[in-house]
Amino acid sequence: MNTDITSHTLYDVIDGTWPAAATHSCGCFTLRDGQGGGKRVSSATLNGDLVVADIAAAEKGMGAFNQQPIFQIREGDVELDSELAARGYDIVDPVTMYVIPAKDLATERPPRTAAIPAWEPLQIMKEIWAEGGMDLARLKVMDRAPMPKTGFVSRWQDKPAGASFLGLHNGIGMVHALEILPFQRRQGVARFLMQRAAFWTLENGGTHLSVICVTSNAAANRLYSSLGMTVVGQYHYRCKPTA
């Protein structure tokens, strides 16, 4: 694997392929206006050294977006993590980041109908994502992601099976919103979608394929490890408990 791909490389890929509606500087923090699209596009991140007084300003800024204060804790953010813990912020959703040279995964094309590129999203893709909890706000995140990007829809055994989204940023493809319908799981559909994503990445000038996964999702982490993907790093969120 290319050792130049670090956790900070993938933080940039996340921002580039799953973008917030807007970003704003607030002291030492970048604030994201997610417009309901989830934690990734709504969390504040630290730029450089922590200025403790800026935490309160960031909280106020997120409140102005009608967002609960939430901070993404990245590699090296030890002081911020401690400060937020002392203020009553809980750890939420630790995430593991994976990467692989796309050529190492693009070794055998999956069956054609198991991973069909489609953009704009087809109605069946929207229905599959909705079943997995992907609401309209998250579909809007995909809409505003810059090109090149694509979705994939899977049919297996003559029935809808799954869907995923893929964006490309600085030569690195990142898979998001990988969702397999419950009755189609454990049949290799997710593997087919990942393999097809690797081919698409190469076809569009990319070199690596990446994915992020909630660390507690044991099945997904087993899949990415079984594909030969390498763990590059982690991050987690700090949120205040709601009353």
Side-chain angles (χ1 to χ4, degrees):
M1 191 191 77
N2 186 339
T3 55
D4 291 339
I5 296 179
T6 67
S7 58
H8 289 277
T9 305
L10 292 192
Y11 299 145
D12 289 340
V13 176
I14 294 169
D15 285 340
T17 60
W18 196 257
T23 59
H24 305 271
S25 294
C26 181
C28 62
F29 292 101
T30 295
L31 306 186
R32 291 172 177 78
D33 181 359
Q35 298 186 3
K39 291 187 288 295
R40 263 178 286 167
V41 292
S42 304
S43 55
T45 49
L46 179 64
N47 297 319
D49 295 333
L50 176 65
V51 178
V52 173
D54 288 347
I55 295 175
E59 292 172 328
K60 184 177 180 180
M62 285 182 273
F65 302 152
N66 294 316
Q67 293 178 178
Q68 175 190 6
I70 177 170
F71 294 82
Q72 187 184 109
I73 307 301
R74 298 178 168 184
E75 184 177 299
D77 292 347
V78 176
E79 185 181 2
L80 175 61
D81 203 28
S82 297
E83 282 286 343
L84 294 175
R87 294 167 187 241
Y89 279 74
D90 290 335
I91 291 177
V92 178
D93 288 346
V95 169
T96 300
M97 302 185 293
Y98 293 87
V99 71
I100 189 172
K103 64 181 178 56
D104 290 353
L105 189 52
T107 55
E108 182 178 355
R109 283 190 176 269
R112 186 186 67 82
T113 62
I116 305 167
W119 197 261
E120 301 281 334
L122 304 175
Q123 182 60 33
I124 186 59
M125 297 164 69
K126 296 177 182 179
E127 292 172 4
I128 291 169
W129 282 324
E131 185 157 335
M134 296 281 293
D135 58 14
L136 180 60
R138 286 170 173 81
L139 293 179
K140 288 183 177 179
V141 176
M142 299 182 202
D143 286 341
R144 63 178 174 253
M147 299 295 283
K149 63 182 176 183
T150 191
F152 293 97
V153 61
S154 176
R155 286 187 62 84
W156 191 243
Q157 298 180 340
D158 294 324
K159 294 180 180 178
S164 62
F165 174 77
L166 173 63
L168 187 65
H169 180 77
N170 289 342
I172 302 175
M174 180 167 279
V175 175
H176 301 273
L178 177 61
E179 183 65 33
I180 310 300
L181 292 172
F183 75 96
Q184 295 279 34
R185 292 174 185 168
R186 299 182 180 86
Q187 300 188 70
V189 174
R191 179 176 293 268
F192 290 146
L193 286 167
M194 292 297 294
Q195 289 172 329
R196 186 64 183 86
F199 278 102
W200 186 94
T201 296
L202 293 172
E203 292 160 2
N204 285 271
T207 59
H208 288 74
L209 184 69
S210 61
V211 70
I212 56 179
C213 179
V214 176
T215 307
S216 62
N217 188 336
N221 283 280
R222 282 196 300 271
L223 168 68
Y224 303 135
S225 294
S226 74
L227 292 172
M229 303 189 82
T230 300
V231 173
V232 172
Q234 291 85 20
Y235 64 88
H236 61 269
Y237 299 97
R238 283 279 186 181
C239 303
K240 273 190 175 178
T242 56

